[in-house]
Amino acid sequence: NAGVTQTPKFQVLKTGQSMTLQCAQDMNHEYMSWYRQDPGMGLRLIHYSVGAGITDQGEVPNGYNVSRSTTEDFPLRLLSAAPSQTSVYFCASSRGVGAFFGQGTRLTVV
Amino acid sequence: AQTVTQSQPEMSVQEAETVTLSCTYDTSESNYYLFWYKQPPSRQMILVIRQEAYKQQNATENRFSVNFQKAAKSFSLKISDSQLGDTAMYFCAFMGAFNAGNMLTFGGGTRLMVKP
């Protein structure tokens, strides 16, 4: 039972570099989303998708891009990494009420 | 927009005792869902319990129960017979019943330490 799989689990980037965080789910869920977790702020929504080809911005979208070409995959792209993007990133998927989360990616931008 | 507030950044409890974590929220919606998620040191987000706003009965899952006060917009989590494995961050979360995408709004979290 894979559920929601995120890769990588850890990453260090230099300021200005770009990278893609991968997220895949095998539950045929319509909805997928990306959150970032920062101390004292809980998880905040970056982008979300209600189905293949449909994405929208969340609370903190600046500096991130997403696309959803298939039901299973929802990658998050950092265009030009900044130290303010140092965080733990979670991908989630859902169909009904509640969400299933991946194990998170700890990203450090130096 | 809705907000979720957890006023206790850190709490501790002795093993086998009972502890209550607080959560308040603000929304103009009449129908919604509330959740408590547990995040142990492994970082995995684990759903502990959920409550539908239209249900008056408080949800219960084994040692975990909630006190849902809709008028007061309060949703506290009670952990009975605390165990060492309950040590974790706990997040309260809100989801509107009609929100496209099933997005969650989280509180800032409460770090719970269970002491032997």
Side-chain angles (χ1 to χ4, degrees):
Chain A
N1 295 343
V4 180
T5 303
Q6 283 185 240
T7 55
K9 289 187 171 48
F10 301 92
Q11 183 72 47
V12 179
L13 284 181
K14 293 183 179 178
T15 297
Q17 286 185 318
S18 62
M19 79 159 295
T20 299
L21 306 185
Q22 301 292 344
C23 177
Q25 53 97 1
D26 61 0
M27 297 173 283
N28 202 30
H29 285 171
E30 305 168 80
Y31 307 131
M32 297 186 74
S33 49
W34 277 101
Y35 296 85
R36 58 177 289 172
Q37 180 182 1
D38 301 293
M41 305 185 76
L43 281 73
R44 293 179 293 167
L45 182 67
I46 304 172
H47 285 285
Y48 67 98
S49 170
V50 299
I54 307 170
T55 64
D56 206 347
Q57 296 181 350
E59 180 185 354
V60 288
N62 292 343
Y64 308 95
N65 270 0
V66 293
S67 60
R68 183 109 179 261
S69 55
T70 67
T71 299
E72 294 78 19
D73 300 301
F74 191 44
L76 177 73
R77 297 182 188 84
L78 280 70
L79 309 172
S80 177
S84 60
Q85 293 179 304
T86 292
S87 189
V88 178
Y89 292 85
F90 285 95
C91 178
S93 76
S94 68
R95 175 182 285 170
V97 177
F100 294 83
F101 286 84
Q103 288 202 298
T105 298
R106 180 175 292 279
L107 175 68
T108 302
V109 183
V110 298
Chain B
Q2 47 278 333
T3 58
V4 179
T5 303
Q6 294 178 247
S7 59
Q8 306 150 315
E10 294 185 355
M11 295 188 73
S12 63
V13 63
Q14 291 295 131
E15 195 176 7
E17 294 189 347
T18 295
V19 63
T20 299
L21 280 58
S22 301
C23 173
T24 58
Y25 59 94
D26 190 22
T27 184
S28 58
E29 299 185 46
S30 59
N31 200 12
Y32 47 87
Y33 301 89
L34 295 162
F35 307 85
W36 279 98
Y37 279 89
K38 171 185 177 180
Q39 185 183 49
S42 67
R43 206 166 66 200
Q44 182 68 47
M45 293 288 287
I46 302 165
L47 178 62
V48 174
I49 199 166
R50 83 178 201 195
Q51 174 81 41
E52 289 88 348
Y54 62 85
K55 289 187 177 179
Q56 299 213 347
Q57 186 172 3
N58 289 325
T60 299
E61 288 287 343
N62 301 314
R63 298 182 295 108
F64 298 87
S65 62
V66 298
N67 184 5
F68 173 50
Q69 301 289 328
K70 190 172 184 179
K73 296 181 180 174
S74 170
F75 183 60
S76 60
L77 175 70
K78 185 171 84 171
I79 306 174
S80 303
D81 185 26
S82 297
Q83 300 176 0
L84 296 178
D86 295 333
T87 292
M89 282 289 290
Y90 287 83
F91 292 99
C92 179
F94 172 100
M95 187 183 85
F98 302 107
N99 99 50
N102 283 3
M103 295 91 73
L104 294 163
T105 300
F106 286 87
T110 296
R111 185 176 301 278
L112 177 67
M113 172 75 71
V114 180
K115 299 179 178 179

